[in-house]
Amino acid sequence: MLLANKITPIVTLYHWDLPQVLEEKYGGWQNASMANYFSEFANLCFERFGNRVKYWITFNNPWSVAVEGYETGEHAPGLKMGGTGAYNAAHNILKAHAKVWHTYDAQWRNKQKGMVGISLSADWGEPVDVTNQRDIEAAERYVQFYLGWFATPLFNGDYPQIMKDYVARKSAQQGLSSSRLPTFSPHEKSYMRSTCDFMGISHFTTRYITQKNFPSNRGNSYFTDRDLAELVDPRWPDPGSEWLYSVPWGFRRLLNFVKTQYGDPMIYVTGNGVSEKMICTDLCDDWRMQYFRDYINEMLKAVKDGVNVKGYTAWSLIDKFEWDEGYSERFGMYYVDFGSKNKPRYPKASVPYYKRIISSNGFPNEGEIESWKRKALETCTSSNQLLAADPLISHMEMVTEIVVPTVCTLCILLSAVFLMFLLRTQI
Ligand SMILES: CCCCCCCCCCCCC/C=C/[C@@H](O)[C@@H](N)CO[C@@H]1O[C@H](CO)[C@H](O)[C@H](O)[C@H]1O
């Protein structure tokens, strides 16, 4: 259906949807065997859909899978294996990605002419004090522990040296005989290197970074291994998710970092967007239009810098399930009324605005952009009226689905009682 509507599918094989049996029976991504199971699954997808799908993403945001699944425990499987679980999970995910890439390269590429990449989430880290060498190094560590953790093995064959050094030193200080960061064998490094035909980048926000030493007796933690502190500027807009601040200039710096660090790879922006709080039913999401305008503009500057950005996808089309936040954070350009039976969707103002940006493939000029914004905000008032009517619609649904059947049942019961009363008086 996508192809019939001239939409090019980019398929993500793993967006955190681990079958429960693999978690319970094998320990999920703590088990190295997962690479084999995942590769078999990917191979089946290549076989069944490879004639129509030419862009494959093995994993979406493995950082969240590892850190939020096995360090903080905010996401499934909700384990808090401080300073070890996340590293083990990431190690197995990296090996699984490499196995899938080699499978495609050996068995399918010649026939299907597609590409296999990965989608890495990456915040940008900026030194609090750009004249302070310790802050500069801390900011570099922030990005290496975030993006470099996965990108460096897949493009260069091993973990970032700074990451290996810091985790090894912390592990030794804690009296461990070996580093909590697993190691790749020489064969694994060679097998891992250059296994991305493109790099997917999901980027949402930026942090100021400063050096902060965490004593090793504070316990094991991915976060304290980095010896840094994350800061935000309270003036940065943050309309939705508590972690998401709009800092557009960080996007350009991140994209240029990718270009220089990983040999100028082909980049697809696989996620970029902003949320609002659930209580917000306002379809006039001017904050989202501003976010898209500013971030896309920074991306276009990066393209002019020479960064090889081949595509951009906004996050996200519709309001949807946001993991541990449930439906309380809305990222969509379409508002979804989750309270109604058919989950009706209503376009927010960002829909016509984003349509104009992508159909123009950028920004013609300031005046044009402002007129797009004005027209977009005009449309949302009518959508708002429709949404306002929606309680009435859902009320009518309730009437037809609950009140009417209840009244009919009561009438039948009362008629039966009345009939029984009549019969008794006749006897
Ligand atoms: C000693 C210091 C301790 C510090 C402890 C800090 C704990 C932080 C916990 C992690 C918070 C991460 C929040 C941000 C994550 C984003 O990068 C991530 N959400 C991006 O992933 C994509 O986000 C999309 C929109 O939210 C969507 O969820 C998509 O599926 C994700 O891939």
Side-chain angles (χ1 to χ4, degrees), residues 15-16 60-61 63-64 68 72 74 121 146 204 214 223-224 243 315 322-323 331:
H15 198 142
W16 313 357
N60 167 76
N61 186 4
W63 182 91
S64 281
E68 298 184 272
T72 65
E74 290 167 283
S121 177
Y146 206 141
F204 294 84
F214 288 90
F223 294 102
T224 54
W243 54 271
W315 188 276
E322 183 55 33
W323 315 113
F331 276 86

Side-chain angles (χ1 to χ4, degrees), residues 87-330:
Y87 296 137
N88 293 336
H91 200 69
N92 292 326
I93 286 170
L94 284 162
K95 290 198 274 191
H97 166 89
K99 191 172 178 67
V100 169
W101 185 91
H102 280 286
T103 298
Y104 190 84
D105 195 50
Q107 299 178 33
W108 301 102
R109 191 186 299 281
N110 286 338
K111 281 178 281 190
Q112 298 181 353
K113 308 284 190 272
M115 295 197 289
V116 175
I118 193 169
S119 172
L120 301 179
S121 177
D123 294 352
W124 178 247
E126 187 73 12
V128 166
D129 177 355
V130 292
T131 65
N132 180 327
Q133 188 57 31
R134 283 156 52 92
D135 283 358
I136 292 169
E137 290 170 4
E140 165 89 14
R141 272 198 315 279
Y142 176 80
V143 180
Q144 293 294 359
F145 267 77
Y146 206 141
L147 175 64
W149 185 7
F150 298 92
T152 310
L154 297 181
F155 281 82
N156 303 339
D158 198 3
Y159 290 119
Q161 190 58 48
I162 195 70
M163 191 173 182
K164 293 195 288 184
D165 294 347
Y166 267 67
V167 180
R169 189 172 71 247
K170 292 278 187 180
S171 303
Q173 288 168 352
Q174 288 148 358
L176 301 175
S177 56
S178 61
S179 175
R180 287 180 279 103
L181 184 67
T183 56
F184 294 114
S185 69
H187 167 70
E188 287 170 335
K189 289 177 183 175
S190 167
Y191 187 76
M192 181 84 55
R193 187 179 302 115
S194 305
T195 56
C196 280
D197 300 324
F198 62 87
M199 186 190 288
I201 288 286
S202 282
H203 174 74
F204 294 84
T205 190
T206 283
R207 291 288 185 274
Y208 278 126
I209 305 297
T210 188
Q211 165 75 27
K212 179 176 182 176
N213 294 323
F214 288 90
S216 54
N217 59 5
R218 277 274 304 262
N220 301 341
S221 155
Y222 159 84
F223 294 102
T224 54
D225 283 341
R226 305 177 301 174
D227 270 351
L228 57 85
E230 301 175 38
L231 306 168
V232 295
D233 183 331
R235 293 167 298 180
W236 290 342
D238 65 330
S241 309
E242 48 134 11
W243 54 271
L244 209 171
Y245 294 82
S246 177
V247 193
W249 51 261
F251 195 18
R252 180 182 185 184
R253 297 185 189 186
L254 174 73
L255 291 171
N256 274 283
F257 176 86
V258 170
K259 173 183 172 64
T260 54
Q261 284 284 306
Y262 306 111
D264 194 15
M266 214 179 331
I267 297 171
Y268 286 87
V269 178
T270 47
N272 176 245
V274 67
S275 54
E276 68 259 17
K277 294 292 183 204
M278 179 69 162
I279 52 167
C280 175
T281 58
D282 188 347
L283 299 178
C284 294
D285 55 345
D286 53 347
W287 60 86
R288 181 169 288 108
M289 289 192 274
Q290 193 63 42
Y291 182 98
F292 282 144
R293 171 191 163 173
D294 295 343
Y295 270 80
I296 293 172
N297 200 31
E298 290 300 318
M299 179 183 67
L300 294 176
K301 290 178 188 173
V303 171
K304 287 184 177 174
D305 295 338
V307 180
N308 190 12
V309 179
K310 306 298 287 185
Y312 173 91
T313 51
W315 188 276
S316 66
L317 179 65
I318 64 172
D319 293 337
K320 52 152 191 70
F321 179 69
E322 183 55 33
W323 315 113
D324 51 314
E325 301 297 340
Y327 296 97
S328 67
E329 293 182 0
R330 295 175 174 274

